[in-house]
């Protein structure tokens, strides 16, 4: 067992794990306090609206020129933990890593990457700029050697269909990999449903999540979202996790060159995703800096 704190920060029952494996996702109890949520909303706005940073680094791939975005388009930054200390502490929070370890059935969890998301109010049902296409996370990550990866989608305010909350296709992770389902940025949900349902039951279920709660879903679960029909932006952060045995797969059809870049000049088939760019989430790595 790797060194570090191993005291479970939350109770996860066998029934919770069974629900995750039956449905492809599971909604947690509240993980973050109201005070911390208020801080995180402010910090996400610093990153996603004003390009403010706590470090000399940039997020991946950045910097973003938000002035070029349509006003109702989703804003997304990957690896915000590189540039903001409050987001870093939230992304690396032990409660997320521990839950990931139970759901993936692994003794060690590492961070694959994070995302922070700002979904502005739309201009009505016909405005698709804020849509997130039906996709599988793993389809974007085929440079990884395992599909046993897990995503925590953390709501920073009460989230449902009214403000463009996430929707999942129940049980769809059991369908296997759809290699071209790297369709996060596509907007036509109906066309994607037609493409990927292939006569199978398409159980489109909204993730109704209270502020501070999280939805944990399998990397093969199809999910997406529609427009934000409220008057306020929808904010959330996302933690993508991998088990300890995840290594580089050079035959993957998506993002291999980006993954290999992060692993450095000696990357080859079987190189572990480890080191400071892929920090350990569970057991807690007490030596990892959170504020520098």
């Amino acid at each position: 067992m790797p060194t570090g704190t191993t005291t479970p920060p939350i109770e996860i029952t066998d029934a919770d794990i069974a629900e995750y494996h039956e449905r492809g996702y599971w909604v947690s109890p509240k993980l973050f306090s109201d005070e911390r949520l208020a801080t995180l909303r402010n910090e996400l706005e610093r990153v996603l609206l004003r390009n403010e940073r706590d470090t000399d680094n940039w997020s991946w791939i950045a910097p973003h020129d938000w002035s070029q975005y349509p006003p109702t388009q989703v804003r997304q930054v990957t690896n915000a933990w590189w540039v903001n200390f409050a987001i870093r502490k939230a992304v690396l929070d032990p409660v997320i890593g521990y839950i990931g370890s139970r759901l993936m059935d692994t003794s060690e969890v590492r961070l694959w990457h994070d995302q922070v998301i700002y979904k502005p109010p739309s201009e009505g049902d016909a405005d698709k700029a804020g849509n997130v296409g039906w996709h599988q996370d793993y389809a974007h990550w085929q440079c990884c050697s395992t599909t046993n990866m897990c995503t925590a989608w953390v709501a920073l305010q009460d989230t449902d269909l009214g403000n463009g909350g996430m929707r999942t296709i129940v049980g769809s992770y059991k369908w296997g990999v759809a290699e071209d389902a790297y369709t996060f940025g596509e907007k036509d949900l109906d066309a994607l449903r037609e493409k990927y349902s292939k006569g199978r039951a398409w159980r489109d279920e909204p993730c109704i999540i209270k502020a501070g709660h999280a939805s944990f879903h399998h990397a093969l679960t199809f999910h997406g979202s529609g427009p934000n029909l409220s008057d306020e932006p929808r904010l959330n952060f996302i933690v993508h996790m991998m088990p300890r045995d995840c290594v580089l797969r050079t035959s993957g059809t998506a993002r291999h060159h980006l993954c290999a870049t992060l692993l450095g000049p000696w990357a080859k088939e079987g190189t572990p995703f480890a080191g400071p760019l892929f920090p350990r989430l569970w057991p807690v790595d007490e030596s990892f800096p959170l504020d520098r």
Side-chain angles (χ1 to χ4, degrees):
M1 174 69 70
T3 59
T5 300
T6 58
T7 302
I10 190 173
E11 181 182 3
I12 302 299
T13 68
D14 290 344
D16 296 332
I17 297 170
E19 180 177 340
Y20 173 80
H21 287 292
E22 174 60 28
R23 298 169 60 77
Y25 82 102
W26 170 78
V27 176
S28 77
K30 190 170 185 176
L31 305 179
F32 295 89
S33 69
D34 290 344
E35 180 181 11
R36 197 169 181 192
L37 292 174
T39 297
L40 285 167
R41 285 192 291 269
N42 181 68
E43 297 303 304
L44 259 69
E45 289 182 353
R46 287 183 61 217
V47 171
L48 289 161
L49 298 183
R50 302 190 293 276
N51 272 335
E52 295 177 1
R53 296 170 290 139
D54 296 336
T55 73
D56 294 328
N57 201 357
W58 289 104
S59 55
W60 181 261
I61 298 172
H64 295 75
D65 182 359
W66 300 121
S67 67
Q68 300 301 309
Y69 276 51
T72 60
Q73 183 170 324
V74 170
R75 297 188 180 191
Q76 171 199 30
V77 164
T78 297
N79 278 338
W81 76 271
W82 292 3
V83 301
N84 183 281
F85 294 147
I87 293 172
R88 180 180 301 178
K89 290 179 181 179
V91 167
L92 302 183
D93 194 290
V95 71
I96 293 178
Y98 174 70
I99 294 172
S101 75
R102 296 297 311 278
L103 298 179
M104 293 186 289
D105 191 20
T106 179
S107 62
E108 180 176 308
V109 174
R110 290 191 173 272
L111 177 66
W112 175 234
H113 68 79
D114 74 27
Q115 295 182 62
V116 292
I117 304 288
Y118 178 97
K119 178 178 280 198
S122 73
E123 296 178 350
D125 287 318
D127 180 7
K128 296 183 178 181
N131 287 5
V132 172
W134 295 116
H135 67 283
Q136 292 178 322
D137 289 341
Y138 182 76
H140 293 267
W141 308 335
Q142 294 174 56
C143 56
C144 295
S145 61
T146 178
T147 61
N148 181 31
M149 301 173 76
C150 181
T151 292
W153 195 104
V154 184
L156 298 188
Q157 69 284 296
D158 292 353
T159 303
D160 55 26
L161 289 180
N163 57 357
M166 186 173 69
R167 296 149 59 183
T168 62
I169 306 306
V170 177
S172 58
Y173 87 98
K174 299 176 184 178
W175 301 346
V177 180
E179 292 191 352
D180 62 351
Y182 39 84
T183 42
F184 177 99
E186 297 190 20
K187 306 300 180 183
D188 191 335
L189 298 174
D190 291 337
L192 291 171
R193 171 183 176 170
E194 180 68 22
K195 179 177 182 178
Y196 292 118
S197 61
K198 297 181 178 179
R200 295 173 290 211
W202 188 266
R203 296 174 58 195
D204 177 354
E205 184 167 288
C207 288
I208 299 174
I209 307 176
K210 292 291 186 180
H213 299 236
S215 172
F216 288 77
H217 63 261
H218 192 283
L220 294 181
T221 295
F222 273 96
H223 58 290
S225 64
N228 176 4
L229 301 176
S230 76
D231 296 328
E232 299 291 332
R234 194 212 74 197
L235 296 164
N236 69 286
F237 74 93
I238 299 170
V239 183
H240 300 299
M241 296 173 279
M242 57 185 168
R244 65 177 302 170
D245 59 352
C246 187
V247 300
L248 178 65
R249 173 178 176 254
T250 58
S251 59
T253 60
R255 300 180 69 89
H256 167 226
H257 64 295
L258 300 180
C259 300
T261 297
L262 292 175
L263 287 174
W266 312 117
K268 61 182 181 180
E269 179 80 22
T271 299
F273 290 107
L277 295 180
F278 307 101
R280 195 176 73 216
L281 303 184
W282 188 262
V284 176
D285 185 350
E286 296 167 335
S287 68
F288 195 83
L290 296 179
D291 57 357
R292 65 173 177 84

